[in-house]
Amino acid sequence: MSVIPTDDPRLTAMGLLAEVYAGLAARMQPVLQAAGLSDIDFETLIRLARSPRESLRMSDLAAQTGLSTSGVTRVVDRLEREGLVTRVACATDRRASYATLTPLGGERLEAVLPLHLKDIEQSFTGLLGADELDRFLQTLRTIRDVVRPCATAGAVEGACPDPP
């Protein structure tokens, strides 16, 4: 008879991570909803805001968000209709286009960020000391670089090579 290792610390780590993520997402939702943003809308806008020239190639934005190319197209289409993002054709490659944060998109982020950061501080980062937070961020980056190596595509030189 085999014994199922249900008390394995690897299972505990995954369970805790899932519980923390679900709890944080639920806590952040009301502020984002009040600003008229879904989780993926906010993620798209903040990734653009943190990118050079507040712009990313659509394929890099898809890689960063983990969405398919069609999924990121739908998100950008919706944000473009709301005037928060604009799409710009690449001058050197007709196949490529860029999603770019508009001034209105920047204003929407400026309006939501203070409350969002307060939520993050109260239920996440504020619970850790400075050294703990530094170690935690490094640990998250180490794991992220293995499980989502293209999460910084377009924002960091050489983060995710273009397909041949």
Side-chain angles (χ1 to χ4, degrees), residues 39-50:
D39 293 344
I40 192 63
D41 293 343
F42 176 79
E43 183 177 357
T44 299
L45 295 177
I46 198 70
R47 286 183 180 273
L48 291 175
R50 295 178 70 167

Side-chain angles (χ1 to χ4, degrees), residues 114-133:
L115 293 172
H116 186 60
L117 289 170
K118 182 179 174 187
D119 280 349
I120 291 170
E121 179 70 18
Q122 288 177 343
S123 50
F124 184 30
T125 58
L127 304 175
L128 305 174
D131 290 342
E132 288 177 301
L133 181 57

Side-chain angles (χ1 to χ4, degrees), residues 30-106:
V31 166
L32 296 180
Q33 279 182 337
L37 298 171
S38 69
D39 293 344
I40 192 63
D41 293 343
F42 176 79
E43 183 177 357
T44 299
L45 295 177
I46 198 70
R47 286 183 180 273
L48 291 175
R50 295 178 70 167
S51 296
R53 296 173 304 283
E54 298 183 330
S55 185
L56 282 169
R57 277 179 18 160
M58 292 288 286
S59 57
D60 291 336
L61 183 57
Q64 283 195 22
T65 59
L67 292 172
S68 65
T69 53
S70 63
V72 83
T73 295
R74 285 190 296 275
V75 171
V76 169
D77 284 347
R78 184 176 61 253
L79 293 173
E80 194 170 33
R81 283 191 301 273
E82 294 180 35
L84 305 177
V85 168
T86 188
R87 205 178 315 234
V88 178
C90 178
T92 59
D93 184 353
R94 292 186 321 209
R95 298 168 297 171
S97 63
Y98 289 78
T100 303
L101 189 68
T102 64
L104 184 60

Side-chain angles (χ1 to χ4, degrees), residues 8-22 143 147:
D8 189 307
R10 294 171 292 186
L11 294 172
T12 302
M14 283 302 300
L16 286 170
L17 182 62
E19 290 168 1
V20 167
Y21 176 76
I143 297 166
V147 300

